[in-house]
């Protein structure tokens, strides 16, 4: 190993890895749960120790210089070794820290309520569940595992189908009693619809209303599917919701039950992480959980 790497503390390199993968001080800071000035200061210290610039400022954020690219390869090698040593020191048990990126709705309504069972099975493994309206990028190693609604087509990634899931139109009985039940899709235009903010949709798979009737516009809009579900449960209108969210709420009923939208969740990890025990353990557990909940996810019998 080069002398300059031996002299560096591993935690200093983690700051560099974070900004190399996210491309911005702010995103790296959120990833590491520190402030952006700390990230910038630690990277400047690395540059001083190496006597070379590692990053350069561009219009959209930070990009790696030639020296930065060389250091990234070595730092990622050290990261893999550190992970292997940690797991070996645990006596063959699954140990360390696992970061999982998942959509807000699936993370909150499906993964989180079941995660206690996984944690109990692997007590030496710490888990970060990043459940948000966007996704961390496994190609940049922002996450160990990602559960995505769009299958990635590029990057050093291993992708497998996790499960299909169904979505439908839902409203409360009270809303339908007050406003009437639509008899067909064309009647939806006369109702208060709830959906995504068009310019904040991060994946084309989320354009549900267009799939029912092109050009159908929601009056109440949110970038959050959890907020949309709460609006629907409060009787504000009709929304397209995943079965795994809507069917667990007794106040919600299906509208136009013949209209079902199908989507797929993909389990994705970096190719270098495919054999990591913590990744294999989570992937196997997630596959088993979704298989056991097929009726809830898809409406199909087990």
């Amino acid at each position: 190993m080069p002398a300059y790497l031996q002299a560096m503390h591993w935690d200093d390199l983690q700051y560099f890895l974070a900004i190399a993968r996210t491309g911005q001080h702010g995103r790296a800071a959120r990833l590491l749960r520190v402030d952006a000035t700390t990230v910038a200061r630690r990277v400047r210290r690395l540059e001083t120790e190496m006597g070379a610039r590692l990053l350069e400022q561009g219009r959209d954020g930070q990009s790696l210089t030639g020296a930065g690219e060389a250091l990234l390869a070595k730092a990622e090698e050290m990261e893999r070794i550190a992970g292997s040593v940690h797991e070996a020191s645990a006596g063959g048990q699954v140990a360390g820290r696992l970061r999982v990126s998942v959509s807000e709705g699936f993370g909150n309504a499906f993964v989180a309520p079941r995660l206690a069972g996984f944690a109990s099975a692997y007590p030496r493994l710490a888990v970060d569940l990043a459940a948000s309206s966007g996704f961390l990028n496994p190609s940049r190693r922002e996450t160990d595992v990602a559960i995505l609604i769009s299958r990635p087509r590029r990057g050093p990634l291993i992708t497998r189908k996790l499960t299909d899931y169904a979505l439908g139109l839902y409203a409360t009985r009270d809303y339908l009693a007050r406003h009437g039940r639509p008899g067909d899709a064309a009647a939806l235009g006369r109702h208060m619809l709830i959906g995504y903010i068009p310019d904040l949709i991060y994946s084309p798979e989320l354009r549900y209303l267009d799939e029912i009737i092109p050009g159908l516009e929601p009056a109440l809009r949110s970038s959050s599917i959890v907020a949309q579900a709460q609006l629907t449960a409060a009787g504000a209108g009709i929304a397209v919701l995943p079965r795994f969210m809507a069917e667990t709420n007794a106040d919600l009923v299906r509208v136009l039950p013949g209209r079902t939208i199908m989507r797929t969740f993909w389990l994705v990890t970096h190719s270098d992480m495919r054999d990591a025990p913590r990744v294999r353990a989570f992937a196997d557990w997630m596959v088993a959980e979704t298989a056991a909940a097929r009726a809830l996810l898809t409406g199909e019998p087990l």
Side-chain angles (χ1 to χ4, degrees):
M1 183 181 298
Y4 66 79
L5 283 180
Q6 293 177 343
M8 292 176 188
H9 295 292
W10 169 236
D11 60 341
D12 288 348
L13 287 172
Q14 290 186 82
Y15 285 86
F16 168 73
L17 282 170
I19 196 166
R21 291 165 178 168
T22 63
Q24 292 184 356
H25 287 115
R27 290 178 181 173
R30 289 192 293 273
L31 192 65
L32 296 170
R33 298 179 182 177
V34 298
D35 59 81
T37 57
T38 299
V39 175
R41 184 176 68 252
R42 298 294 282 269
V43 172
R44 282 197 300 270
R45 186 164 76 178
L46 281 177
E47 290 179 326
T48 300
E49 290 176 351
M50 290 189 62
R53 290 188 63 187
L54 302 174
L55 301 162
E56 52 189 10
Q57 181 67 47
R59 185 174 59 183
D60 298 323
Q62 304 286 326
S63 60
L64 293 172
T65 63
E69 292 282 1
L71 180 59
L72 177 62
K74 294 295 183 181
E76 288 185 333
E77 180 183 353
M78 290 180 66
E79 183 181 49
R80 289 193 292 272
I81 293 171
S84 299
V85 170
H86 194 148
E87 288 166 350
S89 68
Q93 297 185 42
V94 177
R97 180 168 294 278
L98 176 77
R99 175 162 290 185
V100 180
S101 175
V102 62
S103 65
E104 181 193 30
F106 193 61
N108 281 284
F110 190 90
V111 179
R114 294 166 171 79
L115 197 58
F118 179 76
S120 177
Y122 300 100
R124 301 194 65 175
L125 181 62
V127 180
D128 292 342
L129 181 64
S132 65
S133 57
F135 295 95
L136 301 179
N137 191 331
S139 291
R140 293 183 173 181
R141 296 180 182 274
E142 295 173 355
T143 185
D144 298 311
V145 180
I147 300 174
L148 306 178
I149 58 175
S150 297
R151 184 175 188 176
R153 302 294 179 182
R154 296 182 299 172
L157 302 173
I158 303 299
T159 302
R160 65 185 290 187
K161 182 178 178 178
L162 178 60
T163 182
D164 292 325
Y165 67 100
L167 305 99
L169 290 153
Y170 292 88
T172 61
R173 291 180 178 84
D174 177 68
Y175 173 86
L176 296 175
R178 287 184 286 114
H179 299 279
R181 181 184 290 268
D184 55 28
L188 289 172
R190 298 191 293 272
H191 283 265
M192 184 69 73
L193 299 180
I194 299 165
Y196 283 99
I197 303 170
D199 60 319
L200 296 182
I201 290 178
Y202 58 87
S203 174
E205 282 80 2
L206 299 179
R207 298 187 183 277
Y208 307 130
L209 292 176
D210 278 345
E211 195 162 316
I212 297 171
I213 295 181
L216 203 58
E217 289 287 341
L220 291 172
R221 310 190 304 189
S222 174
S223 60
S224 163
I225 190 64
V226 172
Q228 292 175 39
Q230 290 174 338
L231 282 165
T232 309
I238 300 174
V240 176
L241 298 173
R243 280 183 56 93
F244 61 78
M245 295 181 72
E247 298 288 335
T248 58
N249 187 334
D251 293 331
L252 295 180
V253 296
R254 190 76 181 268
V255 178
L256 300 181
R259 291 279 181 163
T260 297
I261 296 171
M262 298 301 298
R263 293 290 187 267
T264 300
F265 283 124
W266 302 92
L267 194 65
V268 183
T269 188
H270 194 284
S271 58
D272 288 343
M273 297 295 295
R274 65 184 303 177
D275 294 324
R278 63 188 185 277
V279 170
R280 290 201 311 269
F282 181 82
D284 290 345
W285 173 78
M286 197 74 259
V287 168
E289 289 294 322
T290 52
R294 187 174 68 187
L296 174 64
L297 290 164
T298 67
E300 300 173 356
L302 296 175

